[in-house]
Structures are given as C-alpha cells and as structure tokens.
C-alpha cells in the first residue's frame, strides 16, 4: 500500500492520458459508455488532486519524506532524470483544474459534447497537459506539456465548428505556435548557457554564471517571460484572447478560464526560483507590475466597450490576469498569498460565468441551428430528433429557470467584480489590505496605483455587467430558456464553492500564505528536488 | 562552420518572420515551418558544433566525454521536430477549414479593401 502511494504524483498525468487514449478507441456511437468513463476519470482526478492537496498541507500523513513530493520518473535522480514536483502551489493548481474540469465536463454532457467529434478525448488531453504543466520540475517538459494542452485546446476551441470559431481559431493557433517557437529558443539558450533544464538546478547554477554568460541567460529568461506573458494574456500580447474565448463553446470557454493562469503559474514559479539570482527583465518586479497595470487598464476599457456578454467575459479574464501580474510584480512578497486566493476565486467565477451566459442567451437560435448542422455533418444521432422541442424530452426542466439564471448571473458579477459577500470580495480586499500595508515603507505610489486600478476595474465591471444584465433579463422579449439539471448543477456547484471559500476564508488564506512563504524561501525547492551531492539536501 | 550555421538560421528565421506577417494563410504556414527549422537548428547549435563526434556512448571509443557531443540538445531537437510537425499539420487543417468556410485564404476570413 505504502509503495503504491509513492506513485500518487504521476497519476494526474497518467490517468487522463490513458482515459483519453481509451476514449479514442471506443466508437462515438457507444455514447453512454464513453461519457461514463470520461466522467469517472475526471472525478478520480479531482479525488487525486484533493488527496495531494491534503498531503501537501500536512492534513494527511505523507508517503514520502518531507513536505514536497519529488517523483523521479524511471528512478533517475534529479539533475539527470525527469522529476515531477508536488508542492503546495502545484497541489492548489491541480485541485483547481480538476474542479473546473469536472464542472465543465458535466455541463457539456447536456448537449455540447455531441456537437462534434472527439470532444471527450481532447478534454482529457487538455487536463493531462494542465496537470503536467503544474507538476513538472524541468523547463523542457514544461514546454512539452504546454504543447499537449495547446494542441488539445486548438481542437476544443474549434469544437462545434462554424465561421466564427474557425476564424478565431486560426489566429489563436498562429499566435500560440509562434509563442511555442520562442519557448524553444528560450529553453535552448538557457540550456546552452547553464547546461541544465532542471528548474531547481537552474536556480543554483545561475548564481555562478560569468557576466558574459549572464547576459545570454538574461536574454533567454526574457524570451521565456514573453512566452508566459502571451499565455497569461498580458497587454499588449492579448488581442487574440477575447475573440477566441467568445467564439469557443460555453464549457470549453469555461475550462479555458484556467489556461491563462498556467502562464501566471509558470511566471510565479520561475520568478520565485530565479529571484535569489536577481531576476531578469520580464520576471523583475517593475516590468511585471507596470505590465499588469496596463493590462488592467486595457481590460477595463474593453469591459466598458463590450457589446456582447461573451466578449465581456473575455475582457474580465484579461483584467484578472492583469491583477495577478501586478500583484506578483508588486515589490516584496506580501501580495503573493492574497494573489493565490484571488486566482482560485476568479478562475471558479469566470468558469461559471462563461457557462451562465450561454444559458442566458440560449434563446438566440444560432446555437441550436449550429448543433443541428453538426449532427448532420458528423452523422451523429440527435437523441431527441424525433420531437419538435428537443429540450422538453431530455431531463427535467427547472420551473424557476429564470430566477436561477438571475441569481447565478448576479453571483458571478459579484465574484468577478469583487463585491461582498462572495469570495471575490475577500480576495480583492486582502489584496488591497496587503498593498496598503506596504505603502508606509518606501515609495507609496505603487500601492496607491494598484488600489486605484483594482477599484476602477471593479467599477468598470459593475457598470458593464449591470448594463448588459438589464438588457438580457429585463428586455421582456425573451421567453424563459429551458435548463437541464446537468447544466444548472455544475454552475451552482462552482458558485457554492466560491461561497464556501468566502466562509472558510480564514483557513484557506492561511494555506495560501504558507504556500507563498515556502515559494519565496529560495532554499526550499532546490533542497527538496536535488540530492545532497548536487547542492540540495534531498529532504 | 559557425558563420555558415548562423547565417542559415538567420536567413530562415528572417524569411519565416516576414512570411508569418503576410496576409495569406498559406504564407503564414510556410513561415511557421521556416521558423520551426530555424529554431531546431538553433537548439542543435546550443549543444556546441562538433564535427565527427557522436552523442551516444560507443564501447569502442571509450567513455571520455571529450570524445562525444552533448546528447541533450539532440534529444530536444527530436521532440521539437515531432511537436512542430504535428502542430503544423493541425494548422493545415484549420487553414483548409477556413478556406472552405470563408471562400478566401485571407487570415481574417475576408478580403480587405486594399491589398
């Protein structure tokens, strides 16, 4: 039993890989079997992630030495072999991925899953890429898992087809391919200078570089930072984001809400590791901070200008990315804990929001038309094609659908703009409190700029959400959309989770603060990953 | 050798960037391929250029590392080639879908007024 638990860290990658491969082999017509397998695998990932979260937080006895789990693939020791590392940050991100993934998958079972082929396998590969990117301990595997999740996301972004999706997808694919090539240049440059790709060993070796090599390394690090900023959707590298997210089908856009946070995670991970060596340009506090502020500003303008709810949601994602960048780049380390809280809350909130707006706007007939077209194109059986009103025969309609939608819309608005009483408020308040507490020592200007940016972006969100909300809910011309329990359930679940996060803000924030502390302690990660003769302690 | 290698990378990367910025989808995909070649050569070069040295240890040659070239960049190049090949193929599919749906090969799916 004990030896089996040793393999926990690799399971979040292996499980979706095998599930996705198995789903490819099962014929699309065996619908019930496929959905059961996909659902069970995703729920198992959630369970795995929760176990890892509990073990990292020392709530469960750890089957390995020390707090940080280091899994050496093939049992090759760290600087030579490939390692997976589970620390608190990785565990938080894994749990977030699995939670959002489960919700989006359940939501898509209602109808989106049948709007094209290979939805379920691609979804599993996306989860695999995300989990791998959060777990990996070296730079090149980070690239590989980025590619895995991107390749799956290309397929998912185009899921359901249609002119708008293909148009947005073309831009999305091109931008990300160029970014991937930059990632390769950066990884090669860093390897050429330091002779290692292991992130822990990198942190130690950078400190001993000669000035000439150091310049080359800084160029590599700068390129790496640009790649992560493209993924994170930082201004001016984010013009592809609102269009792609608006065009993607609802559950896909919902799970895409975490894709930008992979960029944030990678920035945070590399920044904290390289900090001791004096970080290079895009990782340096100032650049990240002002880039974050610019992203918030442009995102807020986009929010005010948005005419459609989907685009509004895309710009809300940009603002949350900007907030995180500014918080990570803020001088000192006080904002990292609250930033993690904000990250969790905003990912859950925007994931739910993408699904809510699809339900709200269901009366616009194009989605149904599109579904009918794709059913024909792929020769799939529409389960309700023999009736005139398909929704009436599938599942149980909720009588108070409009009340439910209104309630969830308002909850999402509160979450995303940071108004009380949900977790968005706790997150934003703790960011503001930490920023103001930093003001007295040294230059107070950055603190107040951040406070102003956070409050103004929240105001822009409130204005735009209420404007579009009024138009959608009170225009009087729309009939009540019919909802299925499988669609309403996951959205309600995500919002209840955010409520729970607000109620349990004390323990949650404590977990995030300890995470931030261990991140900013430069010795923790290398010591855990590397054996004693390579500069670590192996503990 | 180094100067030829560097010029080859530079020419391919330059042409690739120019093509990626062109308005036709086919030009973009050729540009991406050229960029990928340039990047692959660059990774290869990061293992330091050596003539007549192999990356895999040969029992007849012995185990002195000076006799071998760095195997890691070659392994990385292999992975990078596979990935860029796969993503290019995927992009080709999107390109064809876009051409079929929009009836034009412009990257925005519609012709601009002036070309």
């Amino acid at each position: 039993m004990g030896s089996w638990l040793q393999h926990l860290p690799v399971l979040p990658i292996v499980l979706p890989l095998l599930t996705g491969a198995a789903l490819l082999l099962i014929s699309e017509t065996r619908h019930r079997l496929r959905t059961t397998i996909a659902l069970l695998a995703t729920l198992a990932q959630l369970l795995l992630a929760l176990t890892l979260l509990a073990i990292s937080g020392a709530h469960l006895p750890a089957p390995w030495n020390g707090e940080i789990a280091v899994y050496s693939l093939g049992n090759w020791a760290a600087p030579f072999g490939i390692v997976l590392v589970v620390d608190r940050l990785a565990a938080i991100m894994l749990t977030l991925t699995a939670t959002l993934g489960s919700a989006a998958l359940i939501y898509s079972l209602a109808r989106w899953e049948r709007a094209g082929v290979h939805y379920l396998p691609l979804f599993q590969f996306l989860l695999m890429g995300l989990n791998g990117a959060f777990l990996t301990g070296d730079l090149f595997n980070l690239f590989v898992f980025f590619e895995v999740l991107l390749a799956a996301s290309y397929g998912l972004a185009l899921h359901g087809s249609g002119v708008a999706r293909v148009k947005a997808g073309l831009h999305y694919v091109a931008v990300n391919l160029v970014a991937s090539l930059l990632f390769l240049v950066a990884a090669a440059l860093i390897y050429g200078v330091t002779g290692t790709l292991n992130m822990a060993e990198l942190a130690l070796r950078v400190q001993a570089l000669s000035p000439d090599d150091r310049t080359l390394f800084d160029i590599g690090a700068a390129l790496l930072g640009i790649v992560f900023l493209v993924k994170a959707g930082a201004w001016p590298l984010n013009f592809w984001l609102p269009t792609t997210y608006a065009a993607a089908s609802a559950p896909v856009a919902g799970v895409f809400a975490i894709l930008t946070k992979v960029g944030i995670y990678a920035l945070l991970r590399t920044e904290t590791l390289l900090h001791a060596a004096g970080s290079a340009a895009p990782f340096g506090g100032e650049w990240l901070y002002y880039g974050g502020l610019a992203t918030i500003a442009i995102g807020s303008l986009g929010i005010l200008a948005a005419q459609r709810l989907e685009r509004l949601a895309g710009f809300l994602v940009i603002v949350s990315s900007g907030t995180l960048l500014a918080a990570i780049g803020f001088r000192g380390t006080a904002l990292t804990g609250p930033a993690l809280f904000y990250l969790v809350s905003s990912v859950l909130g925007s994931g739910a929001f993408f699904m809510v707006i699809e339900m709200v706007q269901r009366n616009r007939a194009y989605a149904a038309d599109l579904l009918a077209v794709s059913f024909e194109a792929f020769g799939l059986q529409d389960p309700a094609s023999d009736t005139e009103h398909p929704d009436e025969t599938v599942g149980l309609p909720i009588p108070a659908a409009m009340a439910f939608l209104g309630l969830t819309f308002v909850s999402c608005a509160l979450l995303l703009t940071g108004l009380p009483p949900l977790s968005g408020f706790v997150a934003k308040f703790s960011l503001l409190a930490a920023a103001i507490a930093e003001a007295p020592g040294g230059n107070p200007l950055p603190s107040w700029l951040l406070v102003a940016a956070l409050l103004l972006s929240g105001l822009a969100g409130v204005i735009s959400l209420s404007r579009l909300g009024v138009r959608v809910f009170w225009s009087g011309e729309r009939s009540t959309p019919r909802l299925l329990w499988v669609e309403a359930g996951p959205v309600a679940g995500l919002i209840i989770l955010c409520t729970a996060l607000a109620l349990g803000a004390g323990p949650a924030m404590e977990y995030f603060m300890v995470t931030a502390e261990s991140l900013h302690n430069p010795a923790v990660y290398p010591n855990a990953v590397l054996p004693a003769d390579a500069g670590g302690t192996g503990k | 050798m180094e100067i030829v290698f560097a010029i080859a990378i530079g020419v391919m990367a330059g042409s690739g960037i120019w093509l990626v910025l062109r308005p036709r989808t086919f030009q973009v995909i050729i540009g991406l391929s050229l960029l990928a070649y340039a990047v692959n050569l660059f990774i290869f070069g990061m293992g330091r250029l050596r003539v007549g040295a192999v990356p895999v240890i040969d029992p007849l040659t012995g185990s002195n590392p000076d006799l071998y070239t760095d195997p890691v960049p070659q392994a990385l190049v292999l992975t990078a080639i596979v990935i860029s090949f796969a993503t290019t193929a995927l992009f080709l599919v999107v390109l064809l879908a876009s051409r079929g749906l929009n009836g034009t090969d412009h990257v925005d799916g519609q012709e601009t007024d002036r070309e």
Side-chain angles (χ1 to χ4, degrees):
Chain A
M1 188 65 197
S3 65
W4 273 103
L5 283 176
Q6 295 283 341
H7 296 288
L8 265 185
V10 79
L11 286 181
I13 299 174
V14 172
L15 184 67
L17 174 67
L18 293 180
T19 314
L23 286 172
L24 278 176
L25 298 176
I26 303 172
S27 157
E28 296 261 347
T29 50
R30 305 188 66 181
H31 182 242
R32 190 174 296 267
L33 178 66
R34 285 164 56 89
T35 48
T36 314
I37 292 178
L39 201 58
L40 284 180
T42 315
L43 292 178
Q45 281 171 60
L46 182 58
L47 201 65
L48 272 175
L50 285 174
T51 316
L52 287 173
L53 189 72
I55 291 176
S56 311
H59 295 299
L60 280 180
W64 41 75
N65 292 329
E67 268 193 1
I68 298 181
V70 180
Y71 185 84
S72 317
L73 286 142
N75 213 11
W76 292 92
F80 305 107
I82 292 168
V83 287
L84 302 178
V85 183
V86 189
D87 62 351
R88 283 165 179 259
L89 180 61
I92 292 170
M93 299 307 288
L94 283 180
T95 314
L96 195 57
T97 309
T99 311
L100 195 66
S102 309
L105 183 70
I106 295 172
Y107 181 90
S108 63
L109 292 183
R111 41 195 233 149
W112 280 109
E113 174 254 317
R114 297 189 292 275
V117 286
H118 296 321
Y119 176 83
L120 294 174
L122 283 175
F123 198 90
Q124 294 297 323
F125 293 138
L126 181 71
L127 291 181
M128 174 201 164
L130 283 166
N131 289 342
F134 295 137
L135 284 174
T136 181
D138 78 285
L139 220 47
F140 197 76
N141 277 293
L142 187 63
F143 165 76
V144 172
F145 284 117
F146 262 57
E147 285 306 304
V148 170
L149 80 89
L150 285 173
S153 79
Y154 302 152
L156 287 175
L158 295 166
H159 179 71
S161 198
V163 176
R165 293 208 180 104
V166 170
K167 208 154 110 181
L170 193 74
H171 297 174
Y172 175 65
V173 177
V175 168
N176 277 297
L177 285 185
V178 174
S180 303
L181 293 174
L182 275 183
F183 197 152
L184 278 175
V185 173
L189 209 50
I190 289 174
Y191 177 79
V193 175
T194 60
T196 184
L197 286 166
N198 183 297
M199 292 201 267
E201 205 188 10
L202 199 62
L204 298 179
R205 287 217 185 167
V206 171
Q207 301 175 26
L209 286 180
S210 70
D212 285 354
D213 284 350
R214 180 67 206 217
T215 314
L216 278 176
F217 174 82
D218 283 350
I219 295 173
L223 287 174
L224 200 62
I226 290 171
V227 176
F228 295 155
L229 289 175
V230 172
K231 312 284 177 198
W235 185 82
L237 307 168
N238 58 9
F239 296 106
W240 53 273
L241 195 148
T243 323
T244 311
Y245 281 37
S249 54
V252 172
V255 80
F256 275 16
I258 202 172
L259 286 199
T260 53
K261 306 304 180 280
V262 183
I264 304 274
Y265 164 85
L267 270 175
L268 185 61
R269 175 70 82 200
T270 33
E271 198 264 342
T272 49
L273 277 177
L274 298 180
H275 192 77
S279 310
F283 298 128
E286 291 272 289
W287 284 86
L288 215 52
Y289 171 73
Y290 287 108
L293 286 188
T295 312
I296 297 177
I298 300 294
S300 304
L301 289 179
I303 285 176
L304 287 175
Q307 296 293 325
R308 284 168 43 219
L309 277 172
E310 294 93 339
R311 282 191 75 81
L312 173 62
F315 282 111
L316 283 168
V317 169
I318 288 181
V319 167
S320 87
S321 272
T323 309
L324 284 167
L325 289 177
I328 293 172
F330 193 80
R331 111 190 127 216
T333 56
L335 260 64
T336 313
L340 288 174
F341 192 99
Y342 179 84
L343 189 152
V344 172
S345 157
S346 82
V347 164
L348 294 177
S350 36
F353 189 60
F354 275 110
M355 298 185 226
V356 169
I357 55 183
E358 197 256 344
M359 290 196 277
V360 169
Q361 304 197 322
R362 185 153 294 172
N363 302 20
R364 299 190 322 184
Y366 84 92
D369 294 344
L370 200 76
L371 271 177
V373 170
S374 8
F375 281 137
E376 273 174 29
F378 293 104
L380 296 176
Q381 180 96 49
D382 187 341
S385 54
D386 51 345
T387 59
E388 276 206 283
H389 304 286
D391 285 349
E392 284 184 353
T393 54
V394 185
L396 184 66
I398 300 175
M402 221 51 203
F404 171 78
L405 284 181
L407 210 63
T408 45
F409 186 86
V410 170
S411 309
C412 285
L414 294 180
L415 269 173
L416 293 172
T417 54
L419 293 178
L422 291 177
S423 59
F425 170 72
V426 182
K428 228 169 210 186
F429 184 79
S430 52
L431 275 177
L432 291 177
I436 293 172
E438 287 283 309
N443 183 4
L445 185 66
S447 297
W448 295 115
L449 272 179
L450 184 65
V451 170
L454 282 180
L455 294 180
L456 286 177
S457 67
L459 179 67
V462 171
I463 292 173
S464 202
L465 279 166
S466 47
R467 185 166 54 100
L468 288 177
V470 163
R471 197 191 297 166
V472 168
F473 284 98
W474 291 346
S475 65
E477 288 172 10
R478 290 160 190 272
S479 59
T480 311
R482 294 196 170 268
L483 305 182
L484 307 179
W485 282 106
V486 273
E487 294 175 310
V491 174
L494 286 179
I495 288 169
I496 288 170
L497 258 182
C498 288
T499 319
L501 201 59
L503 290 176
M509 190 59 96
E510 203 174 306
Y511 196 99
F512 294 133
M513 291 311 259
V514 178
T515 309
E517 252 171 54
S518 83
L519 271 181
H520 286 297
N521 183 348
V524 171
Y525 190 91
N527 277 348
V529 174
L530 297 175
D533 53 358
T537 57
K539 284 274 146 39
Chain B
M1 183 169 62
E2 279 81 1
I3 190 77
V4 175
F5 194 80
I7 290 174
I9 295 178
V11 168
M12 273 202 277
S15 327
I17 290 170
W18 188 74
L19 281 173
V20 162
L21 298 175
R22 300 292 301 157
R24 302 286 154 200
T25 46
F26 188 70
Q27 292 169 321
V28 172
I29 200 168
I30 296 294
L32 283 170
S33 307
L34 282 179
L35 270 179
Y37 295 145
V39 168
N40 288 342
L41 281 181
F42 180 80
I43 302 174
F44 193 76
M46 276 297 125
R48 309 294 185 269
L49 298 173
R50 292 274 302 273
V51 176
V54 290
V56 181
I57 289 185
D58 180 1
L60 295 176
T61 322
S63 61
N64 182 1
D66 283 345
L67 300 172
Y68 295 95
T69 181
D70 192 343
V72 177
Q74 307 206 2
L76 301 188
V77 165
L78 210 57
T79 318
I81 290 173
V82 173
I83 289 180
S84 64
F85 174 70
T87 45
T88 308
L90 200 143
F91 191 66
L92 201 58
V93 175
V94 182
L95 183 159
L96 288 174
S98 166
R99 174 74 179 78
L101 282 171
N102 297 313
T104 165
D105 63 348
H106 196 277
V107 284
D108 287 333
Q110 61 198 33
E111 297 291 333
T112 48
D113 293 336
R114 55 192 169 80
E115 279 294 317

